[in-house]
Amino acid sequence: QVQLQESGPGLVKPSETLSLTCTVSGSFINNYYWSWIRQPPGKGLEWIGYIYYSGSTNYNPSLKSRVTISVDSSKNQFSLKLNSVTAADTAVYYCTRGSGWYAYWGQGTLVTVSS
Amino acid sequence: EIVLTQSPGTLSLSPGERATLSCRASQSVSSNYLAWYQQKPGQAPRLLIYGASSRATGIPDRFSGSGSGTDFTLTISRLEPEDFVMYYCQQYGNSPLTFGGGTKVEIK
């Protein structure tokens, strides 16, 4: 079955760059869209953006100036970079498959922004 | 950006009762591209409904979705103990994709 697993540092300092990777198993990266969604502790869900396996992207305008999503088909992985982070970027970050509705999710990884 | 408003914020019901959750959009959702998710504490959201009314794979038939345009509803026909958790709606007809603020279904 399709499985996604987020990995990356759980603690990032303010003004630095948050970097996460999602490793996909049970599904090839090719021919699908791949997304990132986040959820601040105790709050609702926020769509960050998605990438097609070919490399085309679509980002949330609220984050667009700071976000880069990339894909590495050879490793069956895709990644998220969010620069100039602040405490407001503290959240559980989920990777998902799709560009519309999301049937497959990673378990999520908590990233805390703190000095 | 389409703003989704979910109501009520909290729904207090008993097991076996019917739950009706509302999701109202600030403008019409293109092609009724509206999804519903269930989220248990500490877990990722689980897709229940897509396309406003299509049940996702493996979802029990006590969950149903309806609506069009700006008004959508998730109905749980008979609440089971495991249904007392959080629910979110999401629209994917317009970018940016947006989620509602959620409805918590709690035991009365």
Side-chain angles (χ1 to χ4, degrees):
Chain A
Q1 74 276 27
V2 181
Q3 292 186 315
L4 298 92
Q5 178 67 59
E6 305 89 352
S7 59
L11 181 64
V12 180
K13 290 182 168 56
S15 80
E16 296 190 343
T17 297
L18 179 159
S19 296
L20 295 174
T21 296
C22 183
T23 301
V24 180
S25 57
S27 173
F28 288 113
I29 283 277
N30 290 356
N31 297 323
Y32 290 103
Y33 286 87
W34 303 91
S35 299
W36 289 95
I37 291 167
R38 70 180 183 177
Q39 185 172 35
K43 296 187 178 180
L45 298 156
E46 180 180 30
W47 174 73
I48 298 171
Y50 63 67
I51 188 167
Y52 193 43
Y53 78 100
S54 61
S56 62
T57 54
N58 184 20
Y59 300 137
N60 193 323
S62 68
L63 299 169
K64 189 173 183 176
S65 64
R66 299 193 291 129
V67 170
T68 302
I69 299 176
S70 58
V71 65
D72 186 338
S73 298
S74 67
K75 295 182 179 179
N76 229 41
Q77 294 176 335
F78 63 106
S79 298
L80 169 70
K81 290 189 186 300
L82 181 66
N83 58 35
S84 305
V85 297
T86 69
D89 296 310
T90 294
V92 174
Y93 286 76
Y94 296 100
C95 59
T96 65
R97 191 180 86 174
S99 62
W101 43 265
Y102 298 103
Y104 300 104
W105 296 67
Q107 65 185 20
T109 187
L110 175 63
V111 179
T112 301
V113 178
S114 175
S115 55
Chain B
E1 171 176 323
I2 294 180
V3 176
L4 298 179
T5 301
Q6 290 189 240
S7 61
T10 302
L11 191 54
S12 299
L13 294 167
S14 300
E17 287 192 300
R18 181 185 189 91
T20 303
L21 286 66
S22 173
C23 177
R24 180 161 292 176
S26 61
Q27 57 187 278
S28 184
V29 176
S30 176
S31 302
N32 294 329
Y33 283 166
L34 193 288
W36 288 94
Y37 298 85
Q38 177 191 69
Q39 188 177 32
K40 297 179 179 180
Q43 295 186 17
R46 173 194 183 196
L47 177 69
L48 299 175
I49 302 288
Y50 62 94
S53 60
S54 298
R55 250 187 320 272
T57 303
I59 300 303
D61 61 7
R62 66 179 182 274
F63 292 93
S64 63
S66 62
S68 64
T70 60
D71 288 297
F72 299 88
T73 300
L74 175 70
T75 301
I76 311 171
S77 60
R78 294 172 310 279
L79 285 163
E80 298 286 341
E82 62 268 28
D83 299 336
F84 291 89
V85 290
M86 199 74 178
Y87 294 84
Y88 294 97
C89 60
Q90 176 227 341
Q91 68 80 24
Y92 52 97
N94 292 76
S95 187
L97 282 63
T98 51
F99 290 87
T103 290
K104 180 181 180 180
V105 179
E106 65 173 24
I107 297 179
K108 188 174 183 180

